[in-house]
Coordinates of all heavy atoms in Angstrom, one line a residue:
K1003 N 0.8 -1.2 0.0 CA 0.0 0.0 0.0 C 0.8 1.3 0.0 O 0.6 2.2 -0.7 CB -0.9 0.0 1.2 CG -2.0 -1.1 1.1 CD -2.9 -1.0 2.4 CE -2.3 -1.6 3.6 NZ -3.2 -1.8 4.7
L1004 N 1.9 1.3 0.8 CA 2.7 2.5 0.9 C 3.6 2.7 -0.3 O 3.7 3.7 -0.9 CB 3.6 2.4 2.2 CG 2.8 2.6 3.5 CD1 3.7 2.1 4.7 CD2 2.4 4.0 3.8
N1005 N 4.3 1.6 -0.6 CA 5.3 1.7 -1.7 C 4.6 1.9 -3.1 O 5.1 2.7 -3.9 CB 6.1 0.4 -1.8 CG 7.1 0.3 -0.7 OD1 7.5 1.3 -0.1 ND2 7.6 -0.9 -0.4
L1006 N 3.4 1.3 -3.3 CA 2.7 1.5 -4.5 C 2.3 3.0 -4.7 O 2.5 3.6 -5.8 CB 1.5 0.6 -4.6 CG 0.7 0.7 -5.9 CD1 0.2 -0.7 -6.3 CD2 -0.5 1.6 -5.7
Y1007 N 1.8 3.6 -3.6 CA 1.3 5.0 -3.8 C 2.5 5.9 -3.9 O 2.5 6.9 -4.7 CB 0.5 5.4 -2.5 CG -0.1 6.7 -2.7 CD1 -1.0 7.0 -3.8 CD2 0.1 7.7 -1.8 CE1 -1.5 8.3 -3.9 CE2 -0.4 9.0 -1.9 CZ -1.2 9.3 -3.0 OH -1.8 10.5 -3.1
R1008 N 3.6 5.6 -3.2 CA 4.8 6.4 -3.3 C 5.3 6.4 -4.7 O 5.8 7.5 -5.2 CB 5.8 5.9 -2.3 CG 7.0 6.8 -2.1 CD 8.0 6.3 -1.1 NE 7.5 6.3 0.2 CZ 7.3 5.2 0.9 NH1 7.7 4.0 0.5 NH2 6.8 5.2 2.2
A1009 N 5.3 5.3 -5.3 CA 5.8 5.2 -6.7 C 4.9 5.7 -7.8 O 5.4 6.1 -8.8 CB 6.2 3.7 -7.0
A1010 N 3.6 5.6 -7.6 CA 2.7 5.8 -8.7 C 1.6 6.9 -8.3 O 0.5 6.9 -9.0 CB 2.0 4.5 -9.1
A1011 N 1.8 7.7 -7.4 CA 0.8 8.7 -7.0 C 0.3 9.5 -8.1 O -0.9 9.9 -8.2 CB 1.3 9.6 -5.8
D1012 N 1.2 9.9 -9.0 CA 0.8 10.8 -10.1 C 0.0 10.1 -11.2 O -0.6 10.8 -12.0 CB 2.1 11.3 -10.8 CG 3.0 10.2 -11.4 OD1 3.4 9.4 -10.6 OD2 3.2 10.2 -12.6
L1013 N -0.1 8.8 -11.1 CA -1.0 8.1 -12.1 C -2.5 8.1 -11.7 O -3.3 7.8 -12.6 CB -0.5 6.6 -12.3 CG 1.0 6.5 -12.8 CD1 1.3 5.0 -12.9 CD2 1.1 7.1 -14.2
F1014 N -2.8 8.4 -10.5 CA -4.2 8.5 -10.1 C -4.8 9.8 -10.4 O -4.2 10.9 -10.2 CB -4.3 8.2 -8.6 CG -3.9 6.8 -8.2 CD1 -2.6 6.5 -7.8 CD2 -4.9 5.8 -8.2 CE1 -2.3 5.2 -7.4 CE2 -4.6 4.5 -7.8 CZ -3.3 4.2 -7.4
D1015 N -6.0 9.8 -11.0 CA -6.7 11.0 -11.3 C -7.3 11.6 -10.1 O -7.5 12.9 -10.1 CB -7.7 10.7 -12.4 CG -7.1 10.2 -13.7 OD1 -6.3 10.8 -14.3 OD2 -7.5 9.1 -14.1
Q1016 N -7.7 10.8 -9.1 CA -8.3 11.3 -7.9 C -8.0 10.3 -6.8 O -7.9 9.1 -7.0 CB -9.8 11.4 -8.1 CG -10.6 12.0 -7.0 CD -12.1 12.1 -7.2 OE1 -12.5 11.7 -8.3 NE2 -12.8 12.5 -6.2
V1017 N -7.9 10.8 -5.6 CA -7.7 10.0 -4.4 C -8.6 10.3 -3.3 O -9.2 11.4 -3.3 CB -6.2 10.0 -3.9 CG1 -5.2 9.5 -5.0 CG2 -5.9 11.5 -3.5
G1018 N -8.8 9.4 -2.4 CA -9.8 9.6 -1.3 C -9.2 10.5 -0.2 O -8.0 10.9 -0.2
P1019 N -10.0 10.9 0.8 CA -9.6 11.9 1.8 C -8.5 11.4 2.7 O -7.8 12.3 3.2 CB -10.9 12.1 2.6 CG -11.7 10.9 2.3 CD -11.4 10.4 1.0
D1020 N -8.3 10.1 2.9 CA -7.3 9.6 3.8 C -6.0 9.2 3.1 O -5.0 8.8 3.7 CB -7.8 8.5 4.6 CG -8.9 8.9 5.6 OD1 -8.7 9.9 6.3 OD2 -9.9 8.2 5.7
T1021 N -6.0 9.2 1.8 CA -4.9 8.7 1.0 C -3.6 9.4 1.3 O -2.6 8.8 1.6 CB -5.2 8.7 -0.5 OG1 -6.4 8.0 -0.7 CG2 -4.1 8.0 -1.3
D1022 N -3.6 10.7 1.2 CA -2.4 11.5 1.4 C -2.0 11.5 2.9 O -0.8 11.5 3.2 CB -2.6 12.9 0.9 CG -2.6 13.0 -0.6 OD1 -1.8 12.2 -1.2 OD2 -3.3 13.8 -1.2
T1023 N -3.0 11.5 3.8 CA -2.7 11.5 5.2 C -1.9 10.2 5.6 O -0.9 10.3 6.3 CB -3.9 11.6 6.1 OG1 -4.6 12.8 5.8 CG2 -3.6 11.6 7.6
L1024 N -2.4 9.1 5.1 CA -1.8 7.8 5.4 C -0.6 7.5 4.4 O 0.2 6.6 4.7 CB -2.8 6.7 5.3 CG -3.9 6.7 6.4 CD1 -4.9 5.7 6.1 CD2 -3.3 6.6 7.8
G1025 N -0.6 8.2 3.3 CA 0.4 7.9 2.3 C 0.3 6.6 1.7 O 1.4 6.0 1.3
E1026 N -0.9 6.1 1.5 CA -1.1 4.7 1.0 C -2.3 4.6 0.2 O -3.3 5.4 0.3 CB -1.1 3.7 2.1 CG -2.3 3.8 3.0 CD -2.3 2.8 4.1 OE1 -1.3 2.5 4.7 OE2 -3.4 2.3 4.4
V1027 N -2.4 3.6 -0.7 CA -3.6 3.2 -1.4 C -3.9 1.7 -1.2 O -3.0 0.9 -1.4 CB -3.4 3.5 -2.9 CG1 -4.4 2.6 -3.7 CG2 -3.7 4.9 -3.2
S1028 N -5.1 1.4 -0.7 CA -5.5 0.0 -0.6 C -6.5 -0.4 -1.6 O -6.8 -1.6 -1.7 CB -5.9 -0.3 0.9 OG -7.1 0.6 1.2
S1029 N -7.2 0.6 -2.2 CA -8.2 0.3 -3.2 C -8.0 1.1 -4.4 O -7.7 2.3 -4.4 CB -9.6 0.7 -2.6 OG -10.6 0.7 -3.5
I1030 N -8.0 0.4 -5.6 CA -7.9 1.0 -6.9 C -9.1 0.7 -7.7 O -9.6 -0.4 -7.8 CB -6.7 0.5 -7.7 CG1 -5.4 0.7 -6.9 CG2 -6.6 1.1 -9.0 CD1 -4.1 0.1 -7.5
S1031 N -9.8 1.8 -8.1 CA -11.0 1.6 -8.9 C -11.1 2.7 -10.0 O -10.2 3.5 -10.1 CB -12.3 1.7 -7.9 OG -12.3 3.0 -7.3

């Protein structure tokens, strides 16, 4: 979750409210 978001944050068009606070992504849709 942490490493994926750190490496690919710019590829997401939109993220949820806790994504940047936690620095992670657990759901991709």
Side-chain angles (χ1 to χ4, degrees):
K1003 291 180 286 190
L1004 290 165
N1005 286 338
L1006 182 144
Y1007 186 58
R1008 187 179 296 121
D1012 62 298
L1013 297 178
F1014 291 94
D1015 298 303
Q1016 184 182 358
V1017 296
D1020 291 315
T1021 305
D1022 287 325
T1023 300
L1024 294 174
E1026 67 178 41
V1027 157
S1028 58
S1029 171
I1030 300 174
S1031 60

